[in-house]
Amino acid sequence: ADFDALRQAGIIVHLDGDKLAPVWADFMRAHALVMASSYFSYVAAVVTTGCVLYPGGDINNQGRALEGWMDATHETRASYDEEMAACLDRSEERHPKDFSPERQTITK
């Protein structure tokens, strides 16, 4: 896949060859962490103070989402935009000094 467009938009992209510690550090500092159904992203999601968007349902047998996490599935539901705004607002409140749309991370 070509991630150049994301990089040009200022989004940090982590791919398979990256070292784990810096990736987890970025995950934990992220204002919005879009989880995969994996233990790798679950660990960061548990400790981050940012907005967590999880893939719905039972997250790879780790259990249910924690309080404040947003189910990122079914984006056509009526409450989706409101839930997203609330999640991002909570993140901004927790990171007021460094909240910046330029600090974005995507991991494959």
Side-chain angles (χ1 to χ4, degrees):
D2 185 6
F3 295 96
D4 288 341
L6 296 172
R7 290 183 179 106
Q8 290 172 357
I11 298 171
I12 298 169
V13 178
H14 290 288
L15 300 174
D16 299 333
D18 291 347
K19 294 183 180 182
L20 296 182
V23 173
W24 262 329
D26 273 346
F27 276 15
M28 289 181 250
R29 285 191 305 255
H31 295 284
L33 171 61
V34 180
M35 288 180 63
S37 289
S38 71
Y39 291 107
F40 187 82
S41 61
Y42 189 81
V43 169
V46 168
V47 297
T48 188
T49 58
C51 173
V52 174
L53 307 169
Y54 74 97
D58 183 20
I59 307 164
N60 200 24
N61 296 319
Q62 290 108 344
R64 286 185 232 112
L66 298 182
E67 183 177 339
W69 290 8
M70 181 187 160
D71 181 345
T73 60
H74 312 294
E75 54 275 341
T76 57
R77 69 180 180 272
S79 62
Y80 187 88
D81 290 340
E82 184 178 318
E83 291 172 44
M84 178 68 76
C87 190
L88 293 172
D89 285 347
R90 284 191 305 274
S91 180
E92 186 172 4
E93 289 169 10
R94 295 171 183 152
H95 304 275
K97 293 180 183 173
D98 66 347
F99 192 78
S100 165
E102 293 83 35
R103 180 83 177 143
Q104 303 175 51
T105 302
I106 292 188
T107 298
K108 176 184 167 215

